[in-house]
Amino acid sequence: MEKKGTPLSELGEFGLIDHLTNAIKLQNDSSQLGVGDDAAVLNYKNKKVLVTTDLLLEGIHFNMVYTPLKHLGYKAVVVNISDIVAMNAIPKQITVSIGVSARYTVEMLDELYDGIRLACEVYAVDLVGGDTSSSLTGLTISITCVGEGDDETLSYRNGAKDTDLICVTGDLGSAFMGLQLLEREQKVLKEVGGVQPDFAGFEYLLQRQLKPEARLDVVKSLRDKNIIPTSMIDISDGLSSELLHICKQSRVGCRIYEERIPVDFQTAKLAEEFNMNLITAALNGGEDYELLFSVPLKYHDEIIKLPQVRIIGHITDESKGAFMITRGDETEIELVAQGWNGLG
Amino acid sequence: MEKKGTPLSELGEFGLIDHLTNAIKLQNDSSQLGVGDDAAVLNYKNKKVLVTTDLLLEGIHFNMVYTPLKHLGYKAVVVNISDIVAMNAIPKQITVSIGVSARYTVEMLDELYDGIRLACEVYAVDLVGGDTSSSLTGLTISITCVGEGDDETLSYRNGAKDTDLICVTGDLGSAFMGLQLLEREQKVLKEVGGVQPDFAGFEYLLQRQLKPEARLDVVKSLRDKNIIPTSMIDISDGLSSELLHICKQSRVGCRIYEERIPVDFQTAKLAEEFNMNLITAALNGGEDYELLFSVPLKYHDEIIKLPQVRIIGHITDESKGAFMITRGDETEIELVAQGWNGLG
């Protein structure tokens, strides 16, 4: 972690902001003015403005021992973009505030910003502002993402209706298993020391944990097909917890089928190796940033044509509760929120 | 600082968010949806959207020994509102993210949010989102403020013109002197112990440091008189530093007059007691959150009628440089940026 480099004090606050932001080119029409004044100026014309924000703290949300700074910058942006996408909207701008202790160098922040800039490029988002400050301990990253939507196409958490299909994108539990893998290797490293970690065969899990993606592709696919989800949320705290949010806010129940929950081969393999329950990882493992959404039954034939989307169950009347039907014996197990809880 | 109370873990993350935000009523038309979904939804119609953000870290930006939590919450909101106001725009929404260590209780966060809510009320701003997380050390507050403006009335840093009048609001250096006072009392408290601090006669300085205000009143007064500043900035890092920002971005020079710089009686009195140079405090002391702006000469007679505003000099051609003309002997002293530098 520690390395030689240029101390931040050499540039000073304004010098550092210039250094980190001078290469930025604005790409969205709605970005009228970016970094350099008291506030950014955005031009949203007759669109609705979406705003979301996330705070990431070293030692709580990320561990510098195994998180490359470039990946961290990328992920910090993606988790915010994911929240805009989860409204069925399009991300357009971010602001980035960082607090850094003296053990960080200019070169380290350059790596962090390389990841931030890469995410901006991949998702066509403009960095339009922020704040830079020293901190007493470690790294703090606060990102706000602004996006655009229309009243007609926004998806909230409260619109799911009885008989709607419940859909998820990608696969679940892999980011959680990636974290287990990284934590095991960190322990081995501490106890044995100097050993090169062996992640062979589990590269996908590491990527899911360290460099997740937001499902802007799915939002665009749904738009192409004129499908507007009746409810939508991104899976940051685990499928179970997020589905309960939708049920609670929509005043509905649900049935999902264990055998339909999408799980990757590497996730299954590592769960076996760790002697962990695979379906628990898929239900409660956080940080997948996949989308969970509901659509009216009539879209069934359209939805099954989308390769990134899987139908896992359906919405019911509220009185039926929220249950998963197990594989094989078809027992109904009540869903409970066991998501990550930063204050627990 | 430490006191008995309800541990945060008793409520959990979602419980805590509910607890802190359930009393919130949205008051602005542009606040379509607040807390409770993946993102807030704002409706800015044909207005421009202003966005600014600030990160406040315990031990860097505030000292819990002498900062009441309610004041801290108020100030954290005000410093962001001040950035929107400094664009000659109207603040409308904020998001608040906090990271808190286990030594904070629910009751302590209630105090913090009392201050946040009070600022929202005073400035007619809606709290529409945020993030709550545990932290390993102390308190982290990240606030983003969104506001509304029109292209015709926004004031940037780059529009000052030769012969424009340079104006400041309120008085300068008082927040800085308030900080000196608090730091002296903290030192006394450490050395002697148990002594009740004596702030008699300096209450205004404490208020300026602990509970500053944003000059939304001045922006409204200027609007009433149809005066649009050619440039504007808020004074967070000291008059000298902010004036140099305007000169650099507008490619102009300036002359300000020492005798015209507004200083409060308490500031002068404490500077004398501390044997500090009063004008240095006024030029370089930060955190006043007053406005510095330029207006065309033709508004002179209108401006002098505004009780909160003082003309301190004028803009010149860039080649003339940026200088202060001293009281009495009328020496020209070059202005230098010595503002607060969080990374220094």
Side-chain angles (χ1 to χ4, degrees):
Chain A
M1 206 22 229
E2 309 284 336
K3 52 168 130 173
K4 295 261 182 259
T6 315
L8 297 175
S9 53
E10 210 166 276
L11 292 180
E13 189 191 1
F14 298 126
L16 182 62
I17 293 173
D18 280 352
H19 175 81
L20 295 174
T21 60
N22 68 1
I24 291 171
K25 299 264 175 299
L26 301 179
Q27 52 187 327
N28 289 317
D29 288 345
S30 53
S31 304
Q32 188 168 318
L33 176 78
V35 176
D37 215 304
D38 294 294
V41 181
L42 311 180
N43 186 359
Y44 269 80
K45 291 173 184 149
N46 46 8
K47 295 283 184 180
K48 292 300 148 65
V49 184
L50 287 289
V51 179
T52 184
T53 192
D54 257 311
L55 183 62
L56 300 178
L57 302 170
E58 182 171 342
I60 303 286
H61 302 97
F62 55 90
N63 183 331
M64 291 312 301
V65 173
Y66 52 67
T67 313
L69 280 160
K70 188 174 175 183
H71 287 66
L72 178 59
Y74 191 88
K75 180 171 177 174
V77 176
V78 163
V79 303
N80 277 280
I81 286 177
S82 182
D83 277 324
I84 298 294
V85 164
M87 301 294 289
N88 200 31
I90 311 292
K92 292 288 178 181
Q93 289 89 18
I94 55 166
T95 64
V96 177
S97 294
I98 53 170
V100 270
S101 68
R103 77 179 157 87
Y104 284 82
T105 61
V106 173
E107 289 75 9
M108 290 164 83
L109 290 191
D110 282 342
E111 278 181 53
L112 181 75
Y113 270 75
D114 279 348
I116 289 172
R117 273 189 296 264
L118 179 61
C120 284
E121 215 178 285
V122 168
Y123 291 95
V125 159
D126 291 324
L127 199 170
V128 295
D131 192 15
T132 308
S133 152
S134 56
S135 95
L136 293 182
T137 50
L139 177 62
T140 299
I141 308 174
S142 174
I143 295 189
T144 295
C145 187
V146 182
E148 94 180 15
D150 295 291
D151 277 333
E152 298 70 34
T153 55
L154 287 175
S155 294
Y156 298 89
R157 295 179 179 179
N158 65 1
K161 297 270 181 307
D162 191 6
T163 79
D164 280 355
L165 299 170
I166 301 170
C167 309
V168 295
T169 61
D171 62 83
L172 301 179
S174 45
F176 174 77
M177 291 312 297
L179 182 62
Q180 304 310 308
L181 191 63
L182 285 164
E183 287 186 343
R184 180 182 70 176
E185 292 304 315
Q186 188 194 359
K187 223 176 137 202
V188 170
L189 218 69
K190 258 192 196 155
E191 285 163 7
V192 187
V195 181
Q196 199 59 26
D198 181 18
F199 296 133
F202 296 118
E203 293 81 1
Y204 175 68
L205 303 185
L206 293 186
Q207 184 210 317
R208 295 281 288 173
Q209 170 57 224
L210 295 175
K211 190 172 171 287
E213 302 290 348
R215 297 315 300 255
L216 184 57
D217 58 335
V218 172
V219 162
K220 288 179 174 170
S221 296
L222 292 171
R223 205 161 275 212
D224 288 344
K225 292 186 177 296
N226 289 316
I227 300 174
I228 302 161
T230 51
S231 70
M232 195 184 250
I233 192 168
D234 70 326
I235 303 178
S236 52
D237 292 340
L239 173 63
S240 205
S241 170
E242 311 298 358
L243 189 49
L244 289 173
H245 279 305
I246 285 184
C247 287
K248 190 181 166 195
Q249 293 196 31
S250 298
R251 296 167 182 253
V252 294
C254 69
R255 290 294 178 277
I256 58 171
Y257 296 85
E258 180 183 355
E259 63 184 12
R260 285 173 169 271
I261 295 172
V263 175
D264 182 75
F265 172 73
Q266 290 186 12
T267 307
K269 195 165 161 236
L270 192 65
E272 201 186 324
E273 200 176 313
F274 279 14
N275 204 17
M276 292 174 85
N277 187 323
L278 174 61
I279 214 66
T280 304
L283 280 179
N284 299 321
E287 300 198 276
D288 282 318
Y289 301 104
E290 296 294 344
L291 292 174
L292 168 69
F293 60 94
S294 58
V295 295
L297 198 50
K298 66 174 175 180
Y299 291 119
H300 177 272
D301 294 355
E302 295 269 31
I303 288 284
I304 58 170
K305 281 183 212 146
L306 293 173
Q308 322 97 315
V309 178
R310 188 90 165 259
I311 297 170
I312 61 166
H314 58 272
I315 299 292
T316 66
D317 185 81
E318 189 174 19
S319 63
K320 301 255 173 76
F323 290 86
M324 180 180 75
I325 294 154
T326 61
R327 193 192 302 264
D329 67 354
E330 299 191 357
T331 316
E332 293 202 335
I333 297 179
E334 187 160 16
L335 295 174
V336 284
Q338 294 184 314
W340 175 87
N341 187 327
L343 291 163
Chain B
M1 205 28 226
E2 309 284 336
K3 50 168 131 173
K4 294 265 182 252
T6 315
L8 297 174
S9 53
E10 209 166 275
L11 292 180
E13 188 191 1
F14 298 126
L16 182 62
I17 294 173
D18 281 351
H19 174 81
L20 295 174
T21 60
N22 68 0
I24 291 171
K25 298 265 175 298
L26 301 179
Q27 52 187 329
N28 289 317
D29 288 345
S30 54
S31 304
Q32 188 168 318
L33 177 78
V35 176
D37 215 305
D38 294 295
V41 181
L42 312 180
N43 187 359
Y44 270 77
K45 290 173 185 150
N46 47 8
K47 294 283 184 180
K48 292 301 148 65
V49 184
L50 287 287
V51 180
T52 185
T53 191
D54 258 309
L55 183 63
L56 300 177
L57 303 170
E58 181 172 343
I60 302 286
H61 303 97
F62 55 90
N63 183 331
M64 291 311 302
V65 173
Y66 52 68
T67 314
L69 279 159
K70 189 173 174 182
H71 286 67
L72 179 60
Y74 192 88
K75 180 171 177 174
V77 176
V78 163
V79 302
N80 277 281
I81 286 177
S82 181
D83 277 323
I84 298 294
V85 164
M87 301 293 290
N88 201 30
I90 310 292
K92 291 289 178 181
Q93 289 89 17
I94 56 166
T95 64
V96 177
S97 295
I98 54 170
V100 270
S101 68
R103 77 180 156 87
Y104 284 82
T105 61
V106 173
E107 288 76 10
M108 290 164 83
L109 291 191
D110 282 342
E111 279 180 53
L112 181 75
Y113 269 76
D114 279 348
I116 289 172
R117 272 189 298 264
L118 179 60
C120 285
E121 215 177 286
V122 168
Y123 292 95
V125 159
D126 291 324
L127 199 169
V128 295
D131 192 15
T132 309
S133 152
S134 55
S135 95
L136 293 182
T137 49
L139 177 62
T140 300
I141 309 174
S142 174
I143 295 189
T144 295
C145 187
V146 183
E148 94 180 15
D150 295 292
D151 278 332
E152 298 70 34
T153 55
L154 286 175
S155 294
Y156 298 90
R157 295 179 179 180
N158 65 1
K161 297 270 181 307
D162 191 6
T163 77
D164 279 356
L165 299 171
I166 300 171
C167 309
V168 295
T169 61
D171 61 83
L172 301 179
S174 45
F176 174 78
M177 291 313 297
L179 184 61
Q180 305 310 309
L181 190 64
L182 285 164
E183 287 185 344
R184 179 182 71 175
E185 292 305 313
Q186 189 194 357
K187 223 176 137 200
V188 170
L189 218 70
K190 257 191 195 154
E191 285 162 7
V192 187
V195 182
Q196 199 60 23
D198 180 18
F199 297 132
F202 297 117
E203 293 82 1
Y204 175 67
L205 303 184
L206 293 186
Q207 183 209 317
R208 294 282 288 171
Q209 170 56 226
L210 295 174
K211 190 171 170 286
E213 302 290 348
R215 298 314 302 253
L216 184 58
D217 58 335
V218 172
V219 161
K220 288 179 173 169
S221 296
L222 291 171
R223 206 161 273 211
D224 288 344
K225 292 187 176 296
N226 288 315
I227 300 174
I228 302 162
T230 51
S231 71
M232 194 184 248
I233 193 168
D234 69 326
I235 303 178
S236 52
D237 292 340
L239 173 63
S240 203
S241 170
E242 312 298 358
L243 189 48
L244 288 173
H245 280 304
I246 286 185
C247 286
K248 190 181 167 195
Q249 294 196 31
S250 298
R251 297 170 181 252
V252 293
C254 69
R255 291 294 178 278
I256 58 171
Y257 297 84
E258 181 183 355
E259 63 185 13
R260 286 174 168 270
I261 296 172
V263 174
D264 182 76
F265 171 73
Q266 290 186 12
T267 306
K269 194 165 161 237
L270 193 65
E272 200 186 327
E273 200 176 312
F274 279 16
N275 203 19
M276 292 174 86
N277 186 324
L278 173 62
I279 213 66
T280 304
L283 280 179
N284 299 321
E287 301 198 277
D288 282 318
Y289 301 105
E290 296 294 342
L291 292 174
L292 168 68
F293 61 95
S294 58
V295 295
L297 198 49
K298 66 173 176 182
Y299 292 120
H300 178 273
D301 294 354
E302 295 269 33
I303 288 285
I304 58 170
K305 281 183 212 144
L306 293 172
Q308 324 95 317
V309 178
R310 187 90 166 260
I311 297 170
I312 61 165
H314 58 270
I315 299 291
T316 66
D317 184 82
E318 189 174 17
S319 62
K320 300 253 174 75
F323 290 87
M324 179 180 75
I325 293 155
T326 60
R327 194 192 301 263
D329 66 355
E330 299 192 357
T331 316
E332 292 202 332
I333 297 179
E334 186 159 15
L335 294 174
V336 284
Q338 294 184 314
W340 174 88
N341 187 327
L343 292 163

